Amino acid sequence: MKTQPKIKPCYPFFLLELLVLCLCFFCLPFSLKGQSDKLNFSITIQNLIEEAYRRNPEILYYEAGIEAAKGQSIQAKILPYPEIVGYAGPWFSSPSQGEKAGGATGFYQEYEIVQPFFFPGKMDILKAISDKDGELARLWLNQFKLSLRAQVASLAYQLAVADVNAKATQEIVNQSKELIDFLAKRPKIGIQGLLDLRIIQGSLVDFQRMYREQEQLKKTVFAQLNAILGYPPEHPLPQNILPPVQWPTVPDLQKLLDLASRQNNFIKMRVVEIERAGKVIDSAKLMNMPDFGLGPYFIQEKGTNNNIGPGVIFTSGVPLWNQNRGNILSSEARKEQAVSMLASTWRMVQSAINSRLEVYRQATNLLAKQPLSLLEELRSAVNLAERQYRVGALPVQTFLEMQRQYLFSALTLRTAQIDAAVAFYDLQTLTGGEWSK
């Protein structure tokens, strides 16, 4: 039985390809760097953010909250309707004891118009409470816009990265399939060739799993971004908004904490809630003071004589046993809750800033250590390894390891890009807005 002759590796051809790969290694970084300087994704991202501001239905919810607070502020300055009271009916007067003459009859009527007035200061304090509600509503709107901006940017980047990862994985899947067909059609492949075929078939299953996961991720992010933009799940969206290659240097931790202490919307909300709780305490104390009414009245008594007279009526409650003590205690307790929530919120903001800053630093440090052309070089190396395996110059393990390292490096670096993007926008959200262009 004849054994299949071994294919000798073509070393001159192999050396030529290595030479080409080296040239790519030194030349490609400069060309890519020149391209990255010209790329500007902020315009496209800004367009998506503005579209989300126009179409997101939750924006209307927070804007309606501001209008509701304005309505309450207007209502706090309006007096109640005047009250009209009327009395009318006959009357009968019986004679005094010892008098023989009969009694007298007549008609009686009285009308009052009373305008209720709040105790001085009540309307002002109610308006002040409504103004605080308006401040809270505006802060909620600002915070939602910041969060919406961060979500749109991160999802747009995730969509583009998932699309690129899916295409890279699909390329490896197609390459493995072509190689399987090549090995299956080769006559008398022998035991080693058969085992190589099975190894590549097994690795193909794992590559197909990776491709399926990237496609599922892309579909999920696609639907989430459409939902935020107010579109149906299948609405077309740009899928080429890749994260920037280089991210700006963020302020140090102390600077970020200083910015957050002044500009973080949740901190501002807690401060406004404390101020509002103080106004509510003042209102509860004023509520103990009685309101009053004032207005004219007219009275007529017609009988033997016709008695007519106008006058002025004054009404007021008498604060005897109701000191509104229960409401005052409740208001003071709510202020204590607001004070404690301020301290708790500040601790949470500090923790979040520390965490997101570390994520940003680690991700950007990882990206800065890698040449811009690394993934393209690895991709070229995969194609080189395939060609060399076909001619027998490389074992199957080297070829498969090259494929895996290319995909794993692509996923790792692009995940770091997403982590940097998400952490960057989170830090801006936590500090109340943009501090770096």
Side-chain angles (χ1 to χ4, degrees), residues 136-149:
L136 285 173
R138 284 187 290 273
L139 288 173
W140 274 113
L141 177 61
N142 294 338
Q143 178 61 31
F144 179 74
K145 285 186 174 181
L146 285 176
S147 300
L148 188 63
R149 183 187 67 170

PDB file of all heavy atoms in Angstrom, residues 136-149:
ATOM      1  N   LEU A 136     -37.785  70.897  41.163  1.00  0.00           N
ATOM      2  CA  LEU A 136     -37.575  69.451  41.119  1.00  0.00           C
ATOM      3  C   LEU A 136     -37.925  68.883  39.747  1.00  0.00           C
ATOM      4  O   LEU A 136     -37.201  68.026  39.216  1.00  0.00           O
ATOM      5  CB  LEU A 136     -38.432  68.765  42.190  1.00  0.00           C
ATOM      6  CG  LEU A 136     -37.945  68.884  43.640  1.00  0.00           C
ATOM      7  CD1 LEU A 136     -38.983  68.293  44.583  1.00  0.00           C
ATOM      8  CD2 LEU A 136     -36.605  68.183  43.811  1.00  0.00           C
ATOM      9  N   ALA A 137     -39.008  69.365  39.166  1.00  0.00           N
ATOM     10  CA  ALA A 137     -39.407  68.872  37.847  1.00  0.00           C
ATOM     11  C   ALA A 137     -38.364  69.215  36.788  1.00  0.00           C
ATOM     12  O   ALA A 137     -38.049  68.394  35.911  1.00  0.00           O
ATOM     13  CB  ALA A 137     -40.773  69.446  37.462  1.00  0.00           C
ATOM     14  N   ARG A 138     -37.802  70.408  36.865  1.00  0.00           N
ATOM     15  CA  ARG A 138     -36.761  70.792  35.899  1.00  0.00           C
ATOM     16  C   ARG A 138     -35.490  69.965  36.094  1.00  0.00           C
ATOM     17  O   ARG A 138     -34.830  69.570  35.119  1.00  0.00           O
ATOM     18  CB  ARG A 138     -36.463  72.284  36.024  1.00  0.00           C
ATOM     19  CG  ARG A 138     -37.534  73.176  35.392  1.00  0.00           C
ATOM     20  CD  ARG A 138     -37.114  74.627  35.393  1.00  0.00           C
ATOM     21  NE  ARG A 138     -37.115  75.195  36.729  1.00  0.00           N
ATOM     22  CZ  ARG A 138     -38.169  75.735  37.321  1.00  0.00           C
ATOM     23  NH1 ARG A 138     -39.329  75.774  36.693  1.00  0.00           N
ATOM     24  NH2 ARG A 138     -38.087  76.238  38.536  1.00  0.00           N
ATOM     25  N   LEU A 139     -35.153  69.684  37.335  1.00  0.00           N
ATOM     26  CA  LEU A 139     -33.970  68.844  37.594  1.00  0.00           C
ATOM     27  C   LEU A 139     -34.180  67.424  37.081  1.00  0.00           C
ATOM     28  O   LEU A 139     -33.259  66.801  36.538  1.00  0.00           O
ATOM     29  CB  LEU A 139     -33.661  68.837  39.091  1.00  0.00           C
ATOM     30  CG  LEU A 139     -33.079  70.132  39.662  1.00  0.00           C
ATOM     31  CD1 LEU A 139     -32.986  70.060  41.175  1.00  0.00           C
ATOM     32  CD2 LEU A 139     -31.700  70.410  39.059  1.00  0.00           C
ATOM     33  N   TRP A 140     -35.404  66.900  37.256  1.00  0.00           N
ATOM     34  CA  TRP A 140     -35.698  65.559  36.729  1.00  0.00           C
ATOM     35  C   TRP A 140     -35.584  65.554  35.208  1.00  0.00           C
ATOM     36  O   TRP A 140     -35.072  64.589  34.615  1.00  0.00           O
ATOM     37  CB  TRP A 140     -37.094  65.117  37.163  1.00  0.00           C
ATOM     38  CG  TRP A 140     -37.134  64.459  38.506  1.00  0.00           C
ATOM     39  CD1 TRP A 140     -37.719  64.927  39.637  1.00  0.00           C
ATOM     40  CD2 TRP A 140     -36.565  63.193  38.848  1.00  0.00           C
ATOM     41  NE1 TRP A 140     -37.556  64.050  40.676  1.00  0.00           N
ATOM     42  CE2 TRP A 140     -36.855  62.967  40.224  1.00  0.00           C
ATOM     43  CE3 TRP A 140     -35.851  62.231  38.154  1.00  0.00           C
ATOM     44  CZ2 TRP A 140     -36.437  61.820  40.887  1.00  0.00           C
ATOM     45  CZ3 TRP A 140     -35.428  61.084  38.822  1.00  0.00           C
ATOM     46  CH2 TRP A 140     -35.728  60.883  40.166  1.00  0.00           C
ATOM     47  N   LEU A 141     -36.048  66.601  34.566  1.00  0.00           N
ATOM     48  CA  LEU A 141     -35.932  66.681  33.109  1.00  0.00           C
ATOM     49  C   LEU A 141     -34.468  66.744  32.681  1.00  0.00           C
ATOM     50  O   LEU A 141     -34.049  66.044  31.736  1.00  0.00           O
ATOM     51  CB  LEU A 141     -36.689  67.899  32.590  1.00  0.00           C
ATOM     52  CG  LEU A 141     -36.601  68.154  31.071  1.00  0.00           C
ATOM     53  CD1 LEU A 141     -37.187  66.982  30.294  1.00  0.00           C
ATOM     54  CD2 LEU A 141     -37.304  69.444  30.697  1.00  0.00           C
ATOM     55  N   ASN A 142     -33.677  67.559  33.367  1.00  0.00           N
ATOM     56  CA  ASN A 142     -32.256  67.647  33.033  1.00  0.00           C
ATOM     57  C   ASN A 142     -31.555  66.313  33.227  1.00  0.00           C
ATOM     58  O   ASN A 142     -30.732  65.898  32.401  1.00  0.00           O
ATOM     59  CB  ASN A 142     -31.585  68.729  33.882  1.00  0.00           C
ATOM     60  CG  ASN A 142     -32.082  70.117  33.552  1.00  0.00           C
ATOM     61  OD1 ASN A 142     -32.598  70.359  32.461  1.00  0.00           O
ATOM     62  ND2 ASN A 142     -31.943  71.045  34.487  1.00  0.00           N
ATOM     63  N   GLN A 143     -31.867  65.647  34.326  1.00  0.00           N
ATOM     64  CA  GLN A 143     -31.235  64.353  34.595  1.00  0.00           C
ATOM     65  C   GLN A 143     -31.643  63.318  33.557  1.00  0.00           C
ATOM     66  O   GLN A 143     -30.809  62.525  33.097  1.00  0.00           O
ATOM     67  CB  GLN A 143     -31.617  63.875  36.005  1.00  0.00           C
ATOM     68  CG  GLN A 143     -31.047  62.513  36.375  1.00  0.00           C
ATOM     69  CD  GLN A 143     -29.541  62.491  36.371  1.00  0.00           C
ATOM     70  OE1 GLN A 143     -28.893  63.504  36.656  1.00  0.00           O
ATOM     71  NE2 GLN A 143     -28.964  61.346  36.045  1.00  0.00           N
ATOM     72  N   PHE A 144     -32.902  63.325  33.169  1.00  0.00           N
ATOM     73  CA  PHE A 144     -33.351  62.372  32.164  1.00  0.00           C
ATOM     74  C   PHE A 144     -32.666  62.629  30.822  1.00  0.00           C
ATOM     75  O   PHE A 144     -32.287  61.685  30.122  1.00  0.00           O
ATOM     76  CB  PHE A 144     -34.870  62.444  31.997  1.00  0.00           C
ATOM     77  CG  PHE A 144     -35.396  61.493  30.954  1.00  0.00           C
ATOM     78  CD1 PHE A 144     -35.472  60.136  31.198  1.00  0.00           C
ATOM     79  CD2 PHE A 144     -35.800  61.978  29.717  1.00  0.00           C
ATOM     80  CE1 PHE A 144     -35.943  59.260  30.235  1.00  0.00           C
ATOM     81  CE2 PHE A 144     -36.266  61.118  28.745  1.00  0.00           C
ATOM     82  CZ  PHE A 144     -36.344  59.746  29.005  1.00  0.00           C
ATOM     83  N   LYS A 145     -32.491  63.900  30.467  1.00  0.00           N
ATOM     84  CA  LYS A 145     -31.813  64.206  29.214  1.00  0.00           C
ATOM     85  C   LYS A 145     -30.363  63.743  29.240  1.00  0.00           C
ATOM     86  O   LYS A 145     -29.847  63.211  28.246  1.00  0.00           O
ATOM     87  CB  LYS A 145     -31.889  65.707  28.928  1.00  0.00           C
ATOM     88  CG  LYS A 145     -33.256  66.183  28.453  1.00  0.00           C
ATOM     89  CD  LYS A 145     -33.224  67.647  28.057  1.00  0.00           C
ATOM     90  CE  LYS A 145     -34.548  68.075  27.435  1.00  0.00           C
ATOM     91  NZ  LYS A 145     -34.522  69.502  27.027  1.00  0.00           N
ATOM     92  N   LEU A 146     -29.690  63.936  30.374  1.00  0.00           N
ATOM     93  CA  LEU A 146     -28.312  63.454  30.486  1.00  0.00           C
ATOM     94  C   LEU A 146     -28.257  61.932  30.376  1.00  0.00           C
ATOM     95  O   LEU A 146     -27.399  61.381  29.683  1.00  0.00           O
ATOM     96  CB  LEU A 146     -27.701  63.910  31.810  1.00  0.00           C
ATOM     97  CG  LEU A 146     -27.298  65.384  31.928  1.00  0.00           C
ATOM     98  CD1 LEU A 146     -26.814  65.690  33.333  1.00  0.00           C
ATOM     99  CD2 LEU A 146     -26.224  65.735  30.913  1.00  0.00           C
ATOM    100  N   SER A 147     -29.162  61.256  31.068  1.00  0.00           N
ATOM    101  CA  SER A 147     -29.194  59.795  30.995  1.00  0.00           C
ATOM    102  C   SER A 147     -29.547  59.326  29.591  1.00  0.00           C
ATOM    103  O   SER A 147     -28.989  58.336  29.096  1.00  0.00           O
ATOM    104  CB  SER A 147     -30.207  59.245  32.004  1.00  0.00           C
ATOM    105  OG  SER A 147     -29.874  59.617  33.320  1.00  0.00           O
ATOM    106  N   LEU A 148     -30.468  60.033  28.949  1.00  0.00           N
ATOM    107  CA  LEU A 148     -30.862  59.658  27.590  1.00  0.00           C
ATOM    108  C   LEU A 148     -29.689  59.840  26.630  1.00  0.00           C
ATOM    109  O   LEU A 148     -29.461  59.000  25.745  1.00  0.00           O
ATOM    110  CB  LEU A 148     -32.047  60.513  27.151  1.00  0.00           C
ATOM    111  CG  LEU A 148     -32.719  60.138  25.826  1.00  0.00           C
ATOM    112  CD1 LEU A 148     -33.329  58.758  25.908  1.00  0.00           C
ATOM    113  CD2 LEU A 148     -33.785  61.161  25.461  1.00  0.00           C
ATOM    114  N   ARG A 149     -28.954  60.924  26.798  1.00  0.00           N
ATOM    115  CA  ARG A 149     -27.778  61.143  25.949  1.00  0.00           C
ATOM    116  C   ARG A 149     -26.772  60.005  26.104  1.00  0.00           C
ATOM    117  O   ARG A 149     -26.237  59.482  25.111  1.00  0.00           O
ATOM    118  CB  ARG A 149     -27.118  62.471  26.310  1.00  0.00           C
ATOM    119  CG  ARG A 149     -25.943  62.830  25.434  1.00  0.00           C
ATOM    120  CD  ARG A 149     -25.227  64.059  25.927  1.00  0.00           C
ATOM    121  NE  ARG A 149     -24.567  63.821  27.205  1.00  0.00           N
ATOM    122  CZ  ARG A 149     -23.716  64.668  27.759  1.00  0.00           C
ATOM    123  NH1 ARG A 149     -23.457  65.814  27.167  1.00  0.00           N
ATOM    124  NH2 ARG A 149     -23.152  64.390  28.907  1.00  0.00           N
TER     125      ARG A 149
END
